[in-house]
Amino acid sequence: MKVIIVKNYHELSKAAADIIIEAVKLNPKLNLGLATGGTTLGLYGYLVKDHKINNTSYKDIKAFNLDEYVGLPKNHEYTYYRFMHDNFFNHVNFKEDNVYIPDGHSLNLKEKALEFEQLIIDNPIDLQLLGLGVNGHIGFNEPGTSFESKTDIVSLTKETIKVNSRFFPGHEELVPNKAVSMGISSILRAKKILLLASGEKKAQAIRDFIEGPITTDLPVSCLKTHPDVTVILDEEAAQLLSK
Ligand code: GLP
């Protein structure tokens, strides 16, 4: 595992963007696994800027998102579908047909989750971007999730609901308590994984991950079993590391 510590959020976003741009240029048909959350916003900003200046093309790139809330219509302002379109897809040249986000608003959620799992088996992800929950979750795989888990409907902890309520300003009661998420085993199939963590709120989970044991109590620790992981931290997220 490669751990890169940079000064601040801007440097983290730039370093992550450089890795993704390089991968996209190297393989114009890359299968790119994407994540949402505040941590990724700066990165998507850089990717959009780079597309406008350098014409980096996403024409034949396929994007597969990690997760989606259950119960909100696709185009609702707080879905991850909207997050991704508003912050990234609508500003670069992705083909809408190449954009895959788990379906959180179907009558057949379970069936749709199974279909999504099959989709990412048929289209193996070359590079998977991950953020990190304060409690060590990746995607929406909360502590206690089996490392064998596959794309499925999952329940969110009270803590995650509270932390994520900041994205529902004035409508905190709308934060769903369920989501559809790639499972841990789905994530671990990606050829390369890029994990980002920024800010002091992530420092404890980062220390437990980097210096602690592999345990389902800390879902991110599963990454230690993967052969090609890069972790980018800013100084705040890295502040509890012993060296
Ligand atoms: C949500 C998402 C995760 C993301 C996490 C971190 O819970 N399901 O995929 O990694 O938030 O979010 P943030 O970057 O806003 O701290």
Side-chain angles (χ1 to χ4, degrees):
M1 192 163 75
K2 188 170 165 193
V3 181
I4 301 170
I5 301 174
V6 296
K7 206 164 177 45
N8 54 36
Y9 178 67
H10 294 290
E11 285 189 16
L12 171 140
S13 304
K14 179 78 173 63
D18 287 346
I19 290 174
I20 292 181
I21 292 163
E22 194 192 335
V24 164
K25 284 191 169 149
L26 215 65
N27 178 5
K29 294 194 167 181
L30 193 79
N31 288 335
L32 188 54
L34 293 173
T36 54
T39 312
T40 62
L41 278 172
L43 154 69
Y44 291 134
Y46 275 116
L47 293 180
V48 169
K49 203 168 149 192
D50 163 76
H51 171 73
K52 296 207 176 354
I53 296 172
N54 302 316
N55 289 318
T56 303
S57 180
Y58 298 83
K59 185 170 70 69
D60 296 315
I61 303 286
K62 287 186 185 160
F64 302 88
N65 258 78
L66 273 175
D67 48 13
E68 178 60 284
Y69 287 118
V70 162
L72 301 176
K74 192 161 111 171
N75 247 314
H76 191 283
E77 63 178 309
Y78 300 129
T79 59
Y80 286 167
Y81 176 91
R82 275 289 293 276
F83 178 100
M84 289 307 303
H85 283 79
D86 291 353
N87 294 301
F88 188 35
F89 298 143
N90 288 349
H91 307 288
V92 296
N93 63 336
F94 267 101
K95 290 183 191 142
E96 186 59 28
D97 284 355
N98 285 344
V99 164
Y100 301 93
I101 299 177
D103 186 341
H105 197 249
S106 160
L107 291 175
N108 305 309
L109 282 179
K110 187 84 190 171
E111 210 174 289
K112 293 283 177 186
L114 288 171
E115 276 174 32
F116 192 88
E117 181 71 13
Q118 193 57 49
L119 179 78
I120 55 174
I121 289 172
D122 296 341
N123 297 272
I125 293 177
D126 296 300
L127 174 61
Q128 176 68 55
L129 173 68
L130 295 177
L132 177 66
V134 172
N135 63 0
H137 74 212
I138 50 172
F140 267 131
N141 296 291
E142 299 282 35
T145 305
S146 159
F147 288 177
E148 306 298 314
S149 62
K150 299 179 169 30
T151 306
D152 208 344
I153 306 157
V154 296
S155 295
L156 310 187
T157 60
K158 284 207 175 84
E159 186 188 18
T160 295
I161 293 171
K162 190 160 174 268
V163 171
N164 285 8
S165 67
R166 72 189 192 284
F167 293 112
F168 293 68
H171 300 280
E172 289 76 7
E173 76 290 350
L174 285 184
V175 189
N177 56 14
K178 287 197 183 319
V180 180
S181 179
M182 281 188 204
I184 302 269
S185 78
S186 338
I187 292 170
L188 290 176
R189 277 199 309 270
K191 289 178 201 148
K192 278 176 187 283
I193 294 180
L194 174 61
L195 174 79
L196 308 181
S198 165
E200 61 180 351
K201 289 198 180 105
K202 307 291 170 72
Q204 187 64 49
I206 283 298
R207 184 174 68 175
D208 293 346
F209 164 42
I210 293 182
E211 297 181 4
I214 298 173
T215 163
T216 54
D217 291 343
L218 191 76
V220 67
S221 68
C222 74
L223 299 185
K224 285 177 156 174
T225 67
H226 189 283
D228 193 348
V229 176
T230 300
V231 181
I232 308 181
L233 308 173
D234 61 13
E235 283 179 358
E236 285 190 6
Q239 65 183 284
L240 296 178
L241 294 177
S242 55
K243 45 193 176 315

